[in-house]
Every structure is written in C-alpha cells, then in structure tokens.
Amino acid sequence: MILRTHIFVACLFMFWTSAAYSASVSAVKGQKVLINLEGDTTSEGDEFYLLNPANNKKTAIIRIKQVKGSKALGEILKGRAAQGYALQAKAASKMSADVPASETSEEESAPVSRNDMSYLRVVKDSYGITGSYIMNSMNADVSYKDGFGISHKTSTSMSGSGFGVGGFYDYAFGQALVGRGSAAIEQFNVSGNASEAACSGSTSCDAKINYLSLYGLLKWYPIQGKYRGWVGGGMGYMLAVSKSSTALNESQISTNQVFTFALGTDIQMSRKNYIPVSIEYNLFPASDTVKANMILIKGGWAWNL
C-alpha cells in the first residue's frame, strides 16, 4: 500500500512539473523572448522565472508584454534567456529584484547583480528635453563710409555666450545606429571691437540673434553599457526669430545652415530614463565676409519608449 502511494505521488509530481513547465522560449532577440504557450494561459504583466531544462536552475525573470493566440512576447527583466528554456510562474515583484546567484545556471558567464541589470542593454527609441550653454565666435569684415562718403572695410573678431532649450526624438535603426531629430531655441550673442568706427559709427561691434534651430543628426554607439558613448554628425537649419547687429546686415542673419559634429554619452539612470550629455560643434558655411561657429554643451533628461 505504501509503495503504491509513493508511486502515485511520484507520478502526480511528474505530471504537475510537466504542466508547470510546458510553456517554453522559442526565440530570443536582444531583451525580448518569444514564447510558445503550449496550451498554458497567461496575461500581460505576468512574471515568470526562466529555467534551464538541463538542471532546472533559474536563469532569468521575464514579464509578459503581449499575448496572441498560442504565442506570447516577453521582456527580460533580469538574467539571461536561451531557446528551449522553460517558464515557471512567480509572484509579482519589483523589477529591481535579483535572481539569486545560487539559482543561476553554471553555464552563465557572470552572475546577475542589481547594478548589472538596472539599465537597458540595447538602444531603443527615446525622446527627451535638453538645455545648453553655447559659446559663440565670429570674424566679420565690416564695410563703412567715412565723412567724405568713401567706402572702407575693416575686420572685427567677436565672441560671446548664450543659452538654449529644446527637445529631441531618437529613432534606433539598429543596435548601434540612431537617428536624432531635434528642435531648439538658441542664442547667438557676440561682441568685439573694430579698429575703425565701422559698426554704426562705433568701434564696438555686436550681433544678438535668437534662432529657432532644427537639426538632423546620425549617431553611432561604439560603447554600450550604463554609460553609452556615441559620436555623430549632421546638419541644422536656423531661422532667426529676433535679431539686432551693428556688424552685420539684414541678409546675413535671416537664416543660416550649419554642419554639426558631436560627441556624447547617455548616462542610464534606470530602464526607463537616462541623462543625455553631449558637446556639439556647429560650423556656419563661410562666406567672403563672415566666418562663425558655435560650441554647445548640452545636458537633459530622456525617456526610453
């Protein structure tokens, strides 16, 4: 009788285990897993452990993002996934909870830690706001007439600083290539002295312009981690919304185009947010009379989609 009871319990245990782990991972792409439900049911927001079928060790925690028929799409919250790994339901927990190191597979190359998984491992679409400190410089040839009506030309070197505020949207083309579109209000303020009284009858020359700036930038991420470093380049179109200058005429400051070169890093604060920091160099196409550039130091706050 005891032997029959033991056999019954063992069979029941094997049946329950098989049912509990019937759903499995069919594909892994980045931080996403495709799941074959195999008749099991689940809902969006449910969380599961992933188990290595070779030793039944827990290797990851996933959250169901979408369910369609016999398939489900999940997001890896902690740990690592592989094709064929089984699912085991878990109680709801905070995303910051760790998979215990003692429960991870010996196959894994490194234990899962709180710091290790507190940020995204892949680049995603995102948007954000930025503020900027802008250093401006300009060299200009200024034409003027003396008291006899004779035209003369002199040069002036001007510099100054301003501020800017704007927003951006990043579109991820792949794991390391991102396109950025941005818009901002930016100040171009410079002043300096000329050797002659060429600037509206004075040796003091200036240009004060507020631009509505639109930029297109292509960014490449050679470094990815908590600090995601990138380099990029692109172009900008700048429309003067307010302007005054003693050194330039109206046609020189209405609209401008710039070539942009940039270097930056995304400091990941969580899986949802990061701090974008960059230094950007805007070069105005040189004319016969004016050469100008801007150096922008930017920082802000961004949200991953």
Side-chain angles (χ1 to χ4, degrees):
M1 183 65 180
I2 295 176
L3 179 59
R4 289 179 179 178
T5 302
H6 287 173
I7 293 174
F8 174 78
V9 170
C11 291
L12 185 63
F13 175 77
M14 287 188 294
F15 171 80
W16 177 85
T17 302
S18 175
Y21 303 156
S22 58
S24 63
V25 175
S26 61
V28 180
K29 186 175 181 180
Q31 294 296 105
K32 305 293 185 183
V33 292
L34 183 63
I35 300 162
N36 280 328
L37 294 176
E38 303 291 348
D40 290 343
T41 59
T42 186
S43 302
E44 293 180 11
D46 289 350
E47 293 186 1
F48 294 87
Y49 290 116
L50 289 187
L51 277 69
N52 185 338
N55 52 23
N56 280 345
K57 296 292 187 180
K58 297 175 183 176
T59 64
I61 298 173
I62 66 169
R63 176 176 292 162
I64 301 299
K65 305 295 290 184
Q66 186 178 0
V67 180
K68 188 173 183 180
S70 62
K71 304 286 187 181
L73 182 66
E75 179 184 14
I76 300 172
L77 305 182
K78 301 287 180 183
R80 295 183 180 180
Q83 185 177 358
Y85 279 19
L87 275 68
Q88 181 186 46
K90 68 181 289 289
S93 64
K94 295 182 179 179
M95 290 178 61
S96 60
D98 293 334
V99 178
S102 61
E103 296 180 345
T104 58
S105 166
E106 293 179 358
E107 300 173 2
E108 306 302 335
S109 60
V112 177
S113 68
R114 183 180 303 273
N115 293 333
D116 192 39
M117 298 304 295
S118 61
Y119 55 86
L120 286 177
R121 313 295 288 185
V122 295
V123 177
K124 297 181 66 176
D125 294 359
S126 62
Y127 66 96
I129 56 175
T130 58
S132 57
Y133 175 72
I134 308 169
M135 293 173 284
N136 309 301
S137 66
M138 175 185 289
N139 293 319
D141 292 336
V142 184
S143 297
Y144 69 99
K145 292 183 178 181
D146 61 19
F148 298 99
I150 301 174
S151 296
H152 298 274
K153 183 182 293 185
T154 188
S155 62
T156 177
S157 179
M158 298 176 286
S159 62
S161 61
F163 298 93
V165 61
F168 68 86
Y169 184 90
D170 277 4
Y171 179 81
F173 293 108
Q175 293 296 313
L177 198 62
V178 171
R180 168 171 291 184
S182 63
I185 294 292
E186 297 173 332
Q187 295 177 325
F188 187 92
N189 297 331
V190 291
S191 61
N193 295 316
S195 58
E196 305 292 339
C199 297
S200 299
S202 173
T203 57
S204 297
C205 306
D206 64 39
K208 298 178 181 179
I209 311 167
N210 289 326
Y211 283 114
L212 171 60
S213 305
L214 303 174
Y215 295 99
L217 194 69
L218 191 62
K219 305 193 299 176
W220 175 57
Y221 285 82
I223 301 173
Q224 297 196 37
K226 183 175 178 62
Y227 299 91
R228 296 191 305 216
W230 58 269
V231 294
M235 295 186 66
Y237 178 80
M238 307 177 73
L239 174 65
V241 294
S242 67
K243 54 200 173 184
S244 66
S245 177
T246 59
L248 306 176
N249 59 48
E250 181 75 15
S251 64
Q252 292 174 303
I253 55 178
S254 56
T255 60
N256 275 294
Q257 291 180 333
V258 292
F259 299 104
T260 300
F261 308 93
L263 177 70
T265 186
D266 300 337
I267 306 172
Q268 298 195 73
M269 307 304 293
S270 68
R271 296 177 66 83
K272 281 292 184 181
N273 301 105
Y274 66 89
I275 297 174
V277 178
S278 64
I279 181 167
E280 303 178 13
Y281 178 76
N282 285 354
L283 178 64
F284 292 81
S287 69
D288 292 336
T289 57
V290 179
K291 296 180 177 65
N293 64 71
M294 305 166 65
I295 298 175
L296 303 90
I297 300 174
K298 293 185 176 181
W301 187 257
W303 295 263
N304 291 309
L305 294 177

